[in-house]
């Protein structure tokens, strides 16, 4: 049987108290350090079979027990002692007794026990009460020189004259001081006395009506926007992602949410998407183009026969009103942001159930036709953007020579 299996069997056969007592005996025997074979021989009285001669201490053994008995050095030593635990615990330790030391002589010098030497009591000297009460008689004072007689002393004494009465000049000085004080006080206090005697005019207190506090002005946080600077921009679900959430066109404006990894996250009316920074611009100039001038250009240069109504009137319609006005579309599509109603000649972009833009498709309109409108807001190789206060007018050039014109309400 392997030594580790023997240890498990012995742990099952012996109780914890016996194992603890055996471990304490081993620690006491190992002490500061000795070989395991010698320790086994001292504890059991028998020669070990094959144990290490390496010296181990009680501290090493305690650490081995605490560490979970992982070190193989102590394992055969401990298992052998555990198998013979009854002999080890019942064996009386033979420790030589030290010779008692004689207290009386150390190196030839006698030692006297302090307890046997009586302590001398202090001698109490009593003084008789009679000696305390007796006093030596006081000697009478004898002057060194004789005291002169009364007649002789009278020769040297001066004649005491009666005291002269005090002069009364101090009284007049006090009276003059009080008089000057009274006159000076009257001169100083005269204006105050006259002010008290004059009738006072009642002061009218005008109560002012408190003005109401101005209502606090709620400052709305500044919203940052970006505009798409190129045609057909893919807005993806995550930075550097491939899943397209929405395809935007040049001139589309979006609210910025945050920026990350050379992309900017924008708000798409309830959802969000990411657009590369090189496809947007935050510098969007304004022009002096008026709404009327822009609408006049549309009515003059675009084919509006399929509309049958004034162009700007469609932007107030929802999809139901649009269908009632010009009939049902021949096709309808939706994406993340918009719905599209297709008619012969163009289509409507419907956002939040309201007409947001009108597109004229398959036109032959060129960018030179836009020149009467002045300088564009943004221009690229395949697109151009004009804006007034309310509307945005854009031209998209295709690769086949056909163009598309979009009128959007901002």
């Amino acid at each position: 049987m392997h030594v580790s299996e023997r240890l498990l069997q012995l742990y099952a056969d012996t109780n914890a108290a016996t194992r603890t007592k055996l471990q304490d005996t081993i620690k006491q025997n190992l002490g500061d350090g000795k070989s395991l074979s010698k320790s086994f021989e001292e504890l059991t009285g028998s020669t070990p079979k094959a144990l290490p001669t390496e010296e181990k201490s009680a501290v090493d053994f305690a650490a081995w027990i605490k560490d979970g008995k992982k070190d193989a050095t102590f394992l055969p030593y401990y298992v052998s002692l555990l198998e013979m635990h009854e002999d080890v615990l019942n064996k009386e330790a033979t420790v030589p007794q030290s010779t008692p030391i004689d207290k009386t002589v150390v190196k030839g010098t006698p030692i006297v026990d302090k307890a046997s030497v009586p302590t001398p009591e202090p001698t109490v000297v009593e003084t008789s009460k009679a000696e305390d009460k007796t006093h030596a008689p006081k000697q009478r004072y004898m002057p060194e020189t004789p005291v002169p007689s009364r007649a002789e002393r009278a020769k040297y004494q001066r004649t005491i004259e009666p005291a002269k009465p005090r002069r009364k000049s101090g009284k007049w000085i006090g009276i003059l001081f009080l008089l000057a004080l009274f006159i000076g006080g009257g001169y100083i206090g005269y204006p105050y006395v006259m002010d008290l005697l004059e009738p006072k005019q009642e002061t009218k207190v005008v109560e002012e009506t408190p003005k109401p506090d101005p209502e606090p002005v709620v400052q709305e946080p500044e919203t940052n926007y970006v505009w798409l600077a190129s045609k057909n921009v893919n807005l993806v679900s995550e930075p550097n992602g491939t899943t397209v959430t929405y395809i935007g066109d040049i001139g589309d404006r979006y609210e910025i949410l945050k920026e990350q990894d050379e992309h900017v996250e924008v708000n798409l009316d309830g959802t969000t998407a990411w657009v590369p920074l090189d496809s947007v611009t935050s510098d969007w100039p304004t022009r002096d183009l008026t709404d009327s001038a822009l609408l006049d250009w549309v009515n003059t240069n675009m084919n509006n026969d399929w509309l049958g109504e004034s162009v700007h009137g469609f932007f107030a319609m929802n999809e139901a009103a649009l269908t009632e006005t010009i009939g049902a579309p021949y096709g309808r599509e939706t994406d993340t942001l918009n719905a599209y109603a297709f008619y012969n000649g163009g289509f409507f972009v419907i956002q939040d159930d309201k007409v947001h833009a009108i597109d004229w498709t398959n036109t032959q309109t060129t960018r030179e036709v836009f020149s009467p409108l002045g300088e564009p807001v943004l221009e690229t190789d395949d697109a151009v953007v004009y804006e007034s206060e309310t509307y945005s007018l854009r031209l998209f050039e295709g690769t086949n020579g056909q163009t598309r014109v979009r009128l959007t309400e901002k």
Side-chain angles (χ1 to χ4, degrees):
M1 183 183 292
H2 193 268
V3 65
S4 59
E5 295 178 358
R6 289 164 53 199
L7 178 63
L8 294 176
Q9 183 64 38
L10 290 170
Y11 262 58
D13 296 339
T14 57
N15 55 38
T18 302
R19 294 195 300 270
T20 303
K21 188 174 181 181
L22 176 64
Q23 292 170 7
D24 293 339
T25 304
I26 293 172
K27 293 176 188 177
Q28 185 177 3
N29 180 266
L30 289 176
D32 294 334
K34 64 177 61 174
S35 65
L36 297 182
S37 58
K38 181 179 180 181
S39 174
F40 182 86
E41 185 177 355
E42 292 178 356
L43 291 172
T44 62
S46 60
T47 304
K49 298 177 181 178
L51 292 179
T53 59
E54 182 182 356
E55 288 193 359
K56 295 290 183 178
S57 65
V59 176
D60 298 331
F61 179 75
W64 180 74
I65 294 293
K66 184 177 180 182
D67 194 35
K69 310 173 187 65
K70 297 179 181 179
D71 188 3
T73 305
F74 278 108
L75 190 58
Y77 166 78
Y78 180 61
V79 169
S80 301
L81 290 177
L82 194 58
E83 289 175 340
M84 302 176 65
H85 68 273
E86 294 181 355
D87 297 335
V88 175
L89 297 179
N90 293 331
K91 184 177 180 296
E92 295 183 359
T94 58
V95 180
Q97 299 293 329
S98 60
T99 304
I101 300 174
D102 189 1
K103 293 184 180 181
T104 58
V105 178
V106 177
K107 293 183 179 180
T109 304
I111 299 176
V112 181
D113 191 355
K114 292 182 179 181
S116 62
V117 179
T119 304
E121 296 182 359
T123 304
V124 180
V125 179
E126 295 184 358
T127 306
S128 62
K129 296 181 181 180
E131 292 179 359
D132 293 340
K133 292 182 180 180
T134 57
H135 298 284
K138 294 182 179 180
Q139 296 182 358
R140 187 175 180 181
Y141 172 74
M142 297 295 292
E144 297 179 357
T145 57
V147 179
S149 62
R150 184 179 298 175
E152 291 177 349
R153 291 198 304 271
K155 294 180 180 179
Y156 301 101
Q157 291 179 353
R158 295 184 302 173
T159 302
I160 299 175
E161 298 180 355
K164 296 181 179 180
R166 288 186 176 181
R167 297 181 181 181
K168 298 182 180 181
S169 58
K171 181 179 181 181
W172 289 105
I173 293 174
I175 294 174
L176 292 175
F177 176 75
L178 292 175
L179 183 61
L181 184 62
F182 179 76
I183 295 173
Y187 178 76
I188 296 172
Y190 177 77
Y192 298 98
V193 175
M194 295 304 295
D195 184 49
L196 293 174
L197 296 177
E198 290 181 359
K200 295 183 179 180
Q201 296 181 356
E202 296 182 359
T203 304
K204 294 182 180 181
V205 179
V206 179
E207 295 183 359
E208 295 183 358
T209 304
K211 296 180 180 180
D213 296 335
E215 295 182 358
V217 178
V218 179
Q219 295 182 353
E220 296 183 357
E222 182 181 356
T223 305
N224 295 325
Y225 294 94
V226 290
W227 289 261
L228 297 186
S230 58
K231 189 177 69 171
N232 296 335
V233 179
N234 291 333
L235 280 68
V236 293
S237 59
E238 58 184 357
N240 298 312
T242 57
T243 303
V244 178
T245 303
Y246 179 72
I247 300 177
D249 278 325
I250 186 172
D252 288 350
R253 187 186 73 165
Y254 303 105
E255 179 187 354
I256 299 175
L257 299 180
K258 63 181 178 180
E259 184 177 336
Q260 178 182 331
D261 298 336
E262 298 300 323
H263 283 66
V264 61
E265 186 180 22
V266 296
N267 184 15
L268 289 182
D269 191 22
T271 186
T272 63
W274 295 84
V275 57
L277 286 175
D278 56 4
S279 299
V280 299
T281 178
S282 58
D283 184 13
W284 195 253
T286 57
R287 299 288 183 258
D288 295 333
L289 182 62
T290 62
D291 291 345
S292 59
L294 188 145
L295 293 175
D296 289 342
W297 186 94
V298 172
N299 292 326
T300 302
N301 295 277
M302 303 308 298
N303 180 14
N304 299 325
D305 294 339
W306 63 284
L307 296 174
E309 292 288 338
S310 167
V311 172
H312 69 276
F314 286 98
F315 292 103
M317 297 181 185
N318 56 19
E319 191 169 3
L322 177 65
T323 303
E324 184 179 352
T325 302
I326 62 174
Y330 72 80
R332 188 178 185 278
E333 297 290 341
T334 60
D335 59 20
T336 304
L337 189 58
N338 304 314
Y340 303 90
F342 294 93
Y343 293 85
N344 292 323
F347 61 88
F348 290 88
V349 180
I350 301 169
Q351 193 175 106
D352 296 331
D353 197 28
K354 182 182 177 183
V355 174
H356 176 64
I358 305 173
D359 278 57
W360 288 264
T361 57
N362 301 326
T363 70
Q364 301 299 323
T365 306
T366 62
R367 66 177 63 205
E368 286 77 17
V369 182
F370 286 82
S371 58
L373 295 177
E375 185 181 359
V377 175
L378 182 63
E379 185 175 8
T380 63
D381 293 339
D382 55 0
V384 61
V385 180
Y386 287 87
E387 283 194 350
S388 65
E389 182 179 358
T390 308
Y391 302 100
S392 174
L393 183 64
R394 311 171 199 177
L395 171 69
F396 305 99
E397 295 178 342
T399 56
N400 57 358
Q402 293 183 343
T403 59
R404 176 168 58 93
V405 177
R406 169 173 289 184
L407 178 65
T408 305
E409 187 179 44
K410 295 194 301 183

